[in-house]
Amino acid sequence: LSLHDALPICTVKTLIKYSITAAAFCLACGAGRAAAQQQGKAPKQYDVAAYVYPAYASDDPRLRPFWPMGIGEWETVMTMQQRNPGHYWDRKPLWGYVNEADPAVMSMEIEQATRHGVNVFIFDWYWYDGRPFMETTLDNGFLKAGNVDKMRFYLMWANHDVLNHWDTRLARVHEQNVIWTGKVDREEFEKICRRNIEKYFKHPQYYKIDGKPVFMVYDLPQLIAGLGGVEQTADALKWFKKEVKKAGFPGLELQFAMWSINLNYSGFDGGKTENPENDFIRTLGFTGTTHYQFAHFANVDQDYLTILEQVRDEWARIDTTYDFTYYPHISVGWDNSPRTGHSAVVKNNTPENFARGLRMAREYIDAHPDRAPLITVNSWNEWTETSYLMPCNVFGYGYLEAVKKVFIDIQ
């Protein structure tokens, strides 16, 4: 699908409307910044980083075994009602079922994202069967977009196993058979690291903290299992940091995705030290963390405002328990029904309530001026988990407008 072919006339009119208002929007922002500067203060800048799930592409033949229509996981979104007649989930993208591996499409998305205050994309990055997977959205779409200089990016290595969940023909079977494993040994790990340093870390738009490229690992137990244990993993990550320095960087900002199970991995018994989790992270050499999804630590089958209370408590717990750097995370929602037909469901996650969560994250960053102003958001486009910023038939541009209201209009 090209951008022109994928977008209906009403969608094109919507985009034209947003383009026409861009000039007025920029003038307003400029006036706000000028006023702040006249008062002797530069406006506070935040790095609002949205995860990008790269499965909405039509130029990757390795996606077809899961989504045979050839449009990636848009197939799961498009066929939801056909597979589940009368189901309450009936979301549709206002921009159409676009090919995000098309640079014209990604150029439009970069424009809309940055206009609304999202200035970093965190690409879910995969490696299976000895080679990269789902990389075309990043390589063919984002990096070839004409306005890529407006948006920074970094990688989150989504090193989980591939089961049946992507294939709606098998998702309800729950066989838990592993199609591809996310585990890698030391030789393959070094191959991955060298490739990412050369191909991505050196790109001028790659996101850095204090000059250090940021790299995030999704599943720590999986990484440790593949490399053979905690000590072997610590040694591999130490080698990785040295390679990054050899490439001319001052170091590596190594992040992990915070999951409850990760911080109590076997080998660090709670009775051995006062803070075993800190020892674990320190041994491995990670310097920072954030969450990927509220579902990884909160009960998401309830009201969004109740979940935000759990989130606030979790941030306070992290601050008082751990000595590594935490970057606040806000999820739009959760509902995995498009894949499985049923799911825990976040209720009342309106754009207005989502904006409350964003204000919490902004306040957290303001209260921690010693760290980068990084806030992660799930997500730009997790349609099949119902946690996306992109405009839809239910909320329009509401979630994007919420980001703009919290991080741009306040200036």
Side-chain angles (χ1 to χ4, degrees):
L1 297 172
S2 70
L3 177 60
H4 180 269
D5 293 336
L7 297 178
I9 293 175
C10 61
T11 303
V12 173
K13 288 180 178 178
T14 301
L15 290 176
I16 291 172
K17 177 188 77 171
Y18 271 80
S19 297
I20 290 173
T21 59
F25 164 75
C26 292
L27 286 172
C29 287
R33 291 191 183 94
Q37 289 165 357
Q38 284 175 2
Q39 294 172 5
K41 269 188 200 181
K44 174 89 174 182
Q45 299 295 319
Y46 300 90
D47 296 335
V48 181
Y51 294 105
V52 176
Y53 174 52
Y56 300 102
S58 60
D59 65 346
D60 188 345
R62 293 183 77 200
L63 302 186
R64 284 184 179 264
F66 305 101
W67 305 292
M69 288 173 62
I71 56 173
E73 200 163 16
W74 280 129
E75 177 174 337
T76 305
V77 178
M78 184 185 292
T79 63
M80 175 59 179
Q81 287 297 314
Q82 176 185 333
R83 291 179 289 109
N84 302 276
H87 196 282
Y88 66 83
W89 200 99
D90 192 18
R91 304 291 181 98
K92 294 180 175 60
L94 289 190
W95 295 338
Y97 301 101
V98 292
N99 174 18
E100 291 188 317
D102 181 338
V105 170
M106 191 54 74
S107 180
M108 177 271 291
E109 294 191 8
I110 290 171
E111 185 65 29
Q112 291 296 325
T114 54
R115 183 181 299 171
H116 288 89
V118 177
N119 50 17
V120 182
F121 276 162
I122 307 173
F123 281 88
D124 296 355
W125 183 84
Y126 300 85
W127 182 276
Y128 296 121
D129 198 26
R131 51 189 170 147
F133 179 66
M134 282 205 271
E135 212 175 45
T136 60
T137 295
L138 173 56
D139 289 354
N140 299 345
F142 179 81
L143 292 179
K144 293 182 180 178
N147 57 352
V148 68
D149 60 334
K150 288 187 173 184
M151 175 74 77
R152 290 171 292 170
F153 77 102
Y154 71 96
L155 303 183
M156 183 201 70
W157 182 11
N159 59 326
H160 57 74
D161 290 340
V162 176
L163 306 177
N164 289 333
H165 301 302
W166 284 337
D167 190 337
T168 57
R169 298 164 297 184
L170 299 172
R172 299 187 194 201
V173 178
H174 301 299
E175 288 181 341
Q176 304 301 316
N177 58 306
V178 177
I179 300 169
W180 288 320
T181 180
K183 299 181 183 73
V184 299
D185 61 18
R186 178 64 180 261
E187 181 180 0
E188 195 159 2
F189 177 80
E190 291 189 5
K191 178 181 178 182
I192 288 169
C193 293
R194 288 193 180 98
R195 183 178 184 273
N196 284 340
I197 290 169
E198 291 300 317
K199 186 172 183 179
Y200 298 120
F201 291 7
K202 292 183 177 182
H203 194 282
Q205 294 307 112
Y206 199 86
Y207 182 73
K208 303 173 186 70
I209 294 176
D210 296 328
K212 302 173 184 178
V214 179
F215 185 76
M216 183 175 172
V217 177
Y218 179 77
D219 192 331
L220 275 187
Q222 188 88 322
L223 181 70
I224 293 167
L227 290 171
V230 173
E231 290 184 9
Q232 294 89 335
T233 303
D235 185 68
L237 292 173
K238 185 177 180 181
W239 170 87
F240 187 15
K241 290 182 176 182
K242 286 181 179 178
E243 290 299 304
V244 172
K245 284 188 175 181
K246 279 186 193 176
F249 299 101
L252 174 66
E253 180 69 20
L254 194 57
Q255 295 180 351
F256 67 97
M258 175 82 83
W259 286 54
S260 297
I261 57 170
N262 281 0
L263 300 179
N264 292 306
Y265 197 81
S266 59
F268 288 84
D269 189 327
K272 291 181 180 177
T273 62
E274 185 178 353
N275 292 300
E277 296 89 349
N278 278 323
D279 286 350
F280 172 53
I281 297 303
R282 193 180 297 115
T283 296
L284 291 176
F286 285 89
T287 48
T289 185
T290 186
H291 286 96
Y292 184 76
Q293 235 289 342
F294 284 170
H296 292 168
F297 69 94
N299 173 15
V300 293
D301 198 15
Q302 57 185 329
D303 188 271
Y304 193 77
L305 296 181
T306 303
I307 295 170
L308 288 183
E309 292 175 9
Q310 296 177 40
V311 171
R312 193 188 298 275
D313 290 344
E314 176 70 357
W315 292 354
R317 184 188 73 85
I318 291 169
D319 272 355
T320 56
T321 306
Y322 307 116
D323 57 17
F324 45 78
T325 301
Y326 177 74
Y327 298 100
H329 169 81
I330 296 295
S331 293
V332 175
W334 177 267
D335 184 349
N336 205 28
S337 294
R339 289 174 177 158
T340 62
H342 57 86
S343 174
V345 180
V346 173
K347 287 85 173 173
N348 198 29
N349 56 327
T350 62
E352 292 75 20
N353 287 339
F354 173 60
R356 291 192 186 189
L358 295 176
R359 289 189 193 97
M360 278 173 46
R362 188 187 69 204
E363 290 164 4
Y364 182 95
I365 287 295
D366 290 346
H368 296 76
D370 59 327
R371 64 196 61 182
L374 174 64
I375 295 164
T376 64
V377 177
N378 185 294
S379 75
W380 180 248
N381 63 348
E382 283 274 21
W383 286 87
T384 50
E385 294 177 358
T386 323
S387 188
Y388 54 82
L389 293 172
M390 292 169 67
C392 71
N393 60 320
V394 176
F395 293 111
Y397 279 73
Y399 290 126
L400 281 173
E401 289 295 334
V403 179
K404 175 176 171 287
K405 183 183 298 183
V406 173
F407 295 105
I408 292 183
D409 290 353
I410 193 173
Q411 309 288 357

